Amino acid sequence: MTDRAGSRTTPERTVSSTEALPFDPSEPLPRLRRELATGPDGLSAREAARRLAVHGPNEVRRKARSSFARELVGQLVHPLALLLWAAAALAFVADLGVLGWAILAVIAVNAGFALLQERQAERAVETLARYLPEHALAVRDGRPLTVEARDLVPGDVIVLEEGDKVPADARVTEGGVEVDLSMLTGESVPAERMAAAGLLGAPLLEEPNLVFSGTTCVEGQARAIVFATGNHTELGRIAALSQRTRREASPLERQVKKVAWLIAGVATGMGAVFLGLGVAVGLPVTDSLTFAIGLLVANVPEGLLPTITLALAVGVRALAREGALVKRLSAVETLGSTNVICTDKTGTLTRNRMRLRALWTVGHGAEPGPWAQELVRASALCTTVTREEEGELHGDPTEAALVIGAADHEAPVDLARRDAGRRRLFRFDPRLRLMSVVQDDEATGRLRIVAKGAPEAVLARVLPGSATDAARSAAEELAQGGMRVLAVAARDLPSGAEPPSRRQDAESGLTLLGLVGLYDPPRPEVAEAVRRCHEAGVRVHIVTGDSGATAAAVAREVGIGVPRLHVVAASESLDDDELDRLLVEGDAEVVFARSSPETKLKVADTLRAHGRIVAMTGDGVNDAPALHRAHIGVAMGRSGTDVAREAATMVLTDDDFATIVTAVESGRRVYDNVRKFIVYIFAHATPEIVPFLVFALSAGAVPLPLTVLQILAIDLGTETLPALALGRERSEPGIMQRPPRPRHQGVISRDMLVRSWGYLGLVSAALVMVGYFYVLWRAGWQPGDPTGTGSPLHHAYVTATTATFAGIVTCQVGTALAARTDHAALRDIGVFSNPLLLAGIAFELAFTAALVYAPPLQHLFGTAALPLDVVLLIATFPVLVWGTDELRRARRRRQLPAAARSVPAVSVPPWSRRKGG
């Protein structure tokens, strides 16, 4: 029934759609035809044109794009962008126009890059249109006519044949076809669709008389009446879901915002405090303002965002070499924090290729022998697949598996000779669930009938006493192993007999030969990948459209479900509390069978609501909304659909599930490296600020040990390349033996601040001030002595500030070496394992030497040549900074209990020891 608005109101079933269908395809065919105002001869051309004007073209339409100006403003007021705006303003105030314009260019580049990422969802929707065929065979004015698929309208009668792509959602009215629905359901086995009554209460995708746009007919012939086009189709519904699920900020993006506000607060607070402090101790206002600007510039990490971007880009390039293309840089880091992977089965865990796996013969069970060869040869003869010029088999994948299986069992079938010796063909009938052929038997010279199909259908047509009870038990056992089971039976005709002309005559009085079990095997590398996921504390759930028995069998074979596997059938309607119990509170890994796109979204949302970082893998159109909604969507590059690839943020070019584990490790490494160069950058704030503090607290008795231009030379000249090089650091040992970091863990922790500001920073500041005072005291300076231009100590003062500048740079070298590891010793990763860092250190030392000894640069930056004894003193700073931090890390490693340093047992996943993990 439909109401006036056209929505379905049948009480016993509803459409799981975001938009109500204009027509109810489950109604009796005569009533549906009346509502569609059509008949067996289809529509007239003029009526089709009128309906096209009413319903619109048969294509997926995307919603209007959001305002470009609004998106641009959103990027320009990002907290880190605001911080960069402040840095640019300070540069202009300090009369450093070149620096100011450079920072503005950084803001523009970052905003432009972010805007490019916002179009991914729209591209995913646009790609859905590629699944619609360009032309269709419709019945217009009583005769078949080829029309453009976009011109189809509700009420059109279309003709479907083997190899055709279904152009619109339609109900079969004549004949029957097998349709590959894997793009919508995840099923690797073609579904039967025929002119038959509907199933009461069944979902639309399981209705035996409905076909859907974008799917492919693999066998048979049928006529169907179109009931939905464009956005009202299943493809259109998925498009709507993709558009309505907006991407949220990644964990790193959120953390960078927090870092930006922290830095802004610290920089602004210090500038204000020192401005007031300078005025309070009697410094001129202009000098106090200059010092405050210097502090602000010293605290603003102008290269933080570009350095993070480059570190992520390095991760992207590394993953591309491993077979993963990342379309959004932040997805690399997100993978590193992933603690749950929701994966499809078909084409992701498995090859999406049926293979003959098991045989059972009457009287011999699974024993090999000539009876097994007779079984596989008979099953291969009862097929219609063909071999293309390239040697590939074309046709039903199940039948292709039988032909390949016969060859593997040394009973090959020549397809050309098969067709030449075929006297009758009774094609597969979805209603009967079997097919049969009449072949010339070369061995006996007589005719032989071979039938294959569902076990219950074939066993009903065999002679009594053909071990039917044993066959049923064997079929059930094979099905529990996740296999698709077919029964094969035969009957030899007497010499000179004519082949039966009627199907019922051929398919009776048969003798059972046995059973064949077909299996879509897991990829060989998946079991090891799952083991590494468990070792890293990552749960793996299966969310698939396939049956629960098949998915559970695959899960157990690859190791999913340790320590416990829970299978959720399609009939189970889970509420939020039950999902919470399964996904969050329990220790089981879950198989969600017969899942719809809405189910995948619900699973993803439940995990997200409880703070889990979700990676969703998939390859079909049905996966697009969930891929878009997950923190990171992972699509298959080879077997995946264009829609899935567009909706995902990462595409596996090799379709290798193991690449996901590599990506997780790469993401963890990138996150660690981001923290390493934050430690490196923050550590230099202390030695840059302490000189201002000493100057202010001494009320000017101690001359300013550092100038603003020297700070800028450090922040933009010597600091940048080593910071970038830390983004290329290799993984520390044991990175994949630790659990995923908690979602609430910030990119900056208290330990990092203590290490950078309090430990590395204070050690560096103490060494720098030792060098500064050493130069002054060796020249006879006493506190309060004048050091201005024209005074006797002026040259010594300039040399001392140069020593401060050079000392900070050499302390940077030690900090860079120390920051390479968080807890491991430097020897564990290799002193020379990061050649880019060594090159960066060489550059900053050469740059510093140029500023110290080149006369033009001396005049610009207020430096002077350093004596040999000062150079030798400063040369010890890197070893002292790195050495003290190495001792600190060694002490922390000794304090760790032995259990904390051990690797978790693979057989017991880490989450089983942590509530909610």
Side-chain angles (χ1 to χ4, degrees):
M1 294 288 293
T2 59
D3 60 14
R4 292 182 179 181
S7 60
R8 302 176 63 178
T9 58
T10 309
E12 64 274 10
R13 58 182 294 164
T14 59
V15 180
S16 59
S17 172
T18 57
E19 294 186 44
L21 288 172
F23 306 98
D24 185 354
S26 65
E27 291 180 330
L29 185 57
R31 180 182 297 173
L32 179 61
R33 280 178 168 156
R34 285 197 304 270
E35 289 198 359
L36 289 168
T38 188
D41 293 333
L43 304 173
S44 67
R46 287 195 294 179
E47 175 62 21
R50 283 193 294 268
R51 295 191 183 190
L52 184 62
V54 174
H55 295 280
N58 178 34
E59 58 188 11
V60 176
R61 298 184 294 274
R62 63 180 171 85
K63 65 180 181 181
R65 292 184 175 183
S66 58
S67 169
F68 176 82
R70 181 180 302 174
E71 293 181 359
L72 179 61
V73 170
Q75 297 300 329
L76 294 180
V77 298
H78 182 280
L80 199 51
L82 294 177
L83 189 58
L84 291 175
W85 282 113
L90 290 174
F92 285 118
V93 169
D95 199 22
L96 298 171
V98 175
L99 172 62
W101 287 113
I103 296 175
L104 292 180
V106 171
I107 296 173
V109 170
N110 289 331
F113 176 81
L115 286 176
L116 291 178
Q117 310 307 313
E118 296 298 325
R119 304 300 179 181
Q120 287 186 10
E122 294 170 356
R123 288 199 299 270
V125 174
E126 291 167 357
T127 308
L128 286 164
R130 301 179 190 175
Y131 278 87
L132 294 177
E134 295 181 358
H135 296 89
L137 188 61
V139 179
R140 296 275 176 87
D141 295 316
R143 55 189 177 85
L145 180 67
T146 300
V147 300
E148 290 190 15
R150 69 186 307 275
D151 292 338
L152 289 177
V153 295
D156 261 325
V157 174
I158 56 176
V159 179
L160 302 173
E161 296 182 341
E162 181 178 330
D164 288 347
K165 189 170 286 187
V166 180
D169 289 5
R171 174 169 172 172
V172 178
T173 58
E174 298 178 33
V177 289
E178 283 195 60
V179 183
D180 180 4
L181 293 175
S182 61
M183 59 174 288
L184 291 175
T185 65
E187 285 273 14
S188 58
V189 179
E192 308 159 359
R193 294 294 183 261
M194 70 199 82
L199 298 177
L200 184 63
L204 286 183
L205 288 176
E206 296 182 11
E207 282 279 19
N209 54 17
L210 300 184
V211 292
F212 301 95
S213 62
T215 60
T216 304
C217 299
V218 297
E219 189 172 344
Q221 186 179 50
R223 285 194 175 196
I225 181 172
V226 174
F227 65 84
T229 60
N231 284 2
H232 290 291
T233 64
E234 284 293 298
L235 280 178
R237 182 176 61 84
I238 294 172
L241 289 173
S242 295
Q243 291 183 100
R244 294 172 186 177
T245 54
R246 298 188 60 84
R247 182 183 71 85
E248 295 184 0
S250 73
L252 182 62
E253 290 168 331
R254 290 193 296 268
Q255 291 300 326
V256 167
K257 288 185 178 181
K258 292 181 180 179
V259 172
W261 288 121
L262 174 63
I263 294 173
V266 170
T268 304
M270 284 188 174
V273 168
F274 280 96
L275 176 61
L277 186 61
V279 174
V281 298
L283 292 177
V285 176
T286 54
D287 290 348
S288 298
L289 180 60
T290 302
F291 300 152
I293 292 174
L295 287 173
L296 289 173
V297 173
N299 276 283
V300 173
E302 292 86 354
L304 178 61
L305 186 57
T307 304
I308 291 176
T309 301
L310 182 60
L312 295 175
V314 168
V316 168
R317 288 195 295 271
L319 284 175
R321 290 193 294 269
E322 298 290 339
L325 297 178
V326 176
K327 300 190 295 180
R328 192 174 71 236
L329 290 183
S330 61
V332 179
E333 180 275 334
T334 308
L335 268 171
S337 59
T338 297
N339 47 30
V340 178
I341 297 176
C342 296
T343 176
D344 194 10
K345 179 189 74 67
T346 304
T348 307
L349 299 178
T350 69
R351 298 175 180 270
N352 199 19
R353 294 199 300 266
M354 299 293 290
R355 287 292 181 266
L356 180 61
R357 182 172 185 179
L359 299 173
W360 182 89
T361 55
V362 177
H364 302 283
E367 296 178 8
W371 42 83
Q373 290 184 326
E374 180 187 11
L375 171 63
V376 295
R377 179 173 175 81
S379 66
L381 285 172
C382 191
T383 60
T384 58
V385 293
T386 58
R387 193 176 298 278
E388 298 177 344
E389 293 182 0
E390 298 81 5
E392 297 290 332
L393 293 175
H394 175 71
D396 184 276
T398 300
E399 294 192 344
L402 294 175
V403 173
I404 295 173
D408 293 341
H409 285 78
E410 300 181 353
V413 171
D414 187 310
L415 300 184
R417 297 180 66 180
R418 175 204 66 183
D419 294 341
R422 181 163 292 171
R423 304 291 295 278
R424 286 283 189 278
L425 169 63
F426 300 102
R427 289 187 176 273
F428 180 82
D429 189 325
R431 292 163 294 187
L432 300 177
R433 303 190 66 189
L434 81 162
M435 69 169 290
S436 57
V437 296
V438 182
Q439 296 281 148
D440 288 326
D441 191 333
E442 297 178 358
T444 63
R446 296 186 297 178
L447 295 178
R448 191 179 205 199
I449 300 172
V450 181
K452 76 170 185 358
E456 57 272 21
V458 174
L459 292 177
R461 290 166 173 79
V462 301
L463 294 171
S466 295
T468 54
D469 291 339
R472 289 189 178 93
S473 298
E476 183 177 352
E477 184 177 349
L478 292 175
Q480 289 176 350
M483 284 175 273
R484 185 188 188 193
V485 185
L486 298 176
V488 182
R491 174 161 61 95
D492 294 323
L493 297 178
S495 299
E498 291 294 321
S501 59
R502 297 193 309 164
R503 184 169 199 146
Q504 57 266 38
D505 294 334
E507 297 170 350
S508 62
L510 303 172
T511 300
L512 182 66
L513 298 180
L515 306 172
V516 294
L518 298 162
Y519 191 59
D520 184 8
R523 298 177 181 275
E525 65 278 357
V526 168
E528 172 65 15
V530 171
R531 186 194 67 80
R532 293 192 66 200
C533 283
H534 290 167
E535 192 176 59
V538 180
R539 285 202 201 193
V540 183
H541 301 304
I542 298 179
V543 188
T544 178
D546 217 334
S547 67
T550 301
V554 172
R556 295 186 181 98
E557 186 166 346
V558 301
I560 296 175
V562 177
R564 188 165 60 91
L565 182 69
H566 189 94
V567 180
V568 178
S571 58
E572 297 185 41
S573 179
L574 297 176
D575 55 22
D576 290 342
D577 291 339
E578 183 68 12
L579 278 175
D580 290 345
R581 187 185 65 80
L582 285 173
L583 295 172
V584 181
E585 299 173 7
D587 61 352
E589 291 179 313
V590 185
V591 171
F592 293 93
R594 304 295 187 193
S595 298
S596 64
E598 290 84 357
T599 303
K600 291 191 172 186
L601 284 174
K602 192 172 184 180
V603 169
D605 285 337
T606 298
L607 291 168
R608 291 176 65 107
H610 289 274
R612 304 300 188 264
I613 305 299
V614 185
M616 179 74 70
T617 72
D619 57 358
V621 172
N622 64 309
D623 296 321
L627 289 175
H628 190 63
R629 175 60 175 160
H631 289 97
I632 175 167
V634 185
M636 303 298 110
R638 292 180 181 175
S639 60
T641 62
D642 289 345
V643 177
R645 288 192 289 267
E646 288 290 344
T649 50
M650 188 174 84
V651 180
L652 303 183
T653 58
D654 53 5
D655 284 14
D656 190 346
F657 184 83
T659 306
I660 300 175
V661 184
T662 302
V664 170
E665 180 177 1
S666 180
R668 292 186 177 189
R669 178 180 60 82
V670 167
Y671 185 81
D672 286 352
N673 289 348
V674 169
R675 304 185 80 186
K676 288 173 184 177
F677 64 66
I678 288 178
V679 167
Y680 172 77
I681 291 174
F682 277 27
H684 307 139
T686 304
E688 290 176 357
I689 292 171
V690 165
F692 289 91
L693 181 62
V694 171
F695 168 75
L697 293 180
S698 68
V702 176
L704 184 64
L706 196 63
T707 68
V708 174
L709 280 178
Q710 290 169 353
I711 290 177
L712 291 173
I714 293 171
D715 290 350
L716 299 178
T718 65
E719 183 177 84
T720 304
L721 284 184
L724 295 176
L726 287 173
R728 301 286 296 272
E729 198 60 62
R730 64 170 55 185
S731 301
E732 288 192 50
I735 192 172
M736 289 298 286
Q737 278 76 49
R738 68 192 191 201
R741 66 180 183 274
R743 186 182 185 184
H744 61 269
Q745 176 180 313
V747 70
I748 296 180
S749 66
R750 182 179 61 85
D751 288 343
M752 288 174 60
L753 295 178
V754 170
R755 184 187 182 193
S756 58
W757 285 342
Y759 198 86
L760 291 170
L762 286 179
V763 170
S764 298
L767 293 174
V768 165
M769 295 311 298
V770 166
Y772 174 72
F773 286 119
Y774 171 76
V775 174
L776 287 179
W777 284 332
R778 69 193 291 273
W781 171 86
Q782 295 294 327
D785 290 347
T787 57
T789 304
S791 65
L793 293 175
H794 178 68
H795 180 73
Y797 167 69
V798 174
T799 304
T801 59
T802 304
T804 304
F805 165 71
I808 292 177
V809 172
T810 54
C811 286
Q812 282 181 330
V813 176
T815 302
L817 295 175
R820 293 186 62 190
T821 63
D822 180 54
H823 62 278
L826 182 60
R827 64 177 180 271
D828 292 338
I829 62 173
V831 177
F832 304 103
S833 60
N834 190 342
L836 184 61
L837 178 61
L838 299 179
I841 291 174
F843 170 81
E844 70 174 331
L845 293 178
F847 181 77
T848 302
L851 264 63
V852 172
Y853 294 103
L857 296 178
Q858 285 178 339
H859 176 73
L860 178 63
F861 287 91
T863 59
L866 295 175
L868 180 60
D869 59 334
V870 177
V871 172
L872 293 177
L873 173 65
I874 292 174
T876 64
F877 290 178
V879 177
L880 293 173
V881 172
W882 164 77
T884 54
D885 191 72
E886 188 79 10
L887 292 174
R888 181 192 65 85
R889 282 180 279 122
R891 184 173 64 253
R892 292 189 65 181
R893 288 194 299 272
R894 288 194 298 269
Q895 292 173 351
L896 286 175
R901 296 195 301 267
S902 63
V903 176
V906 175
S907 58
V908 183
W911 67 77
S912 65
R913 301 188 294 275
R914 302 190 311 274
K915 180 177 177 61

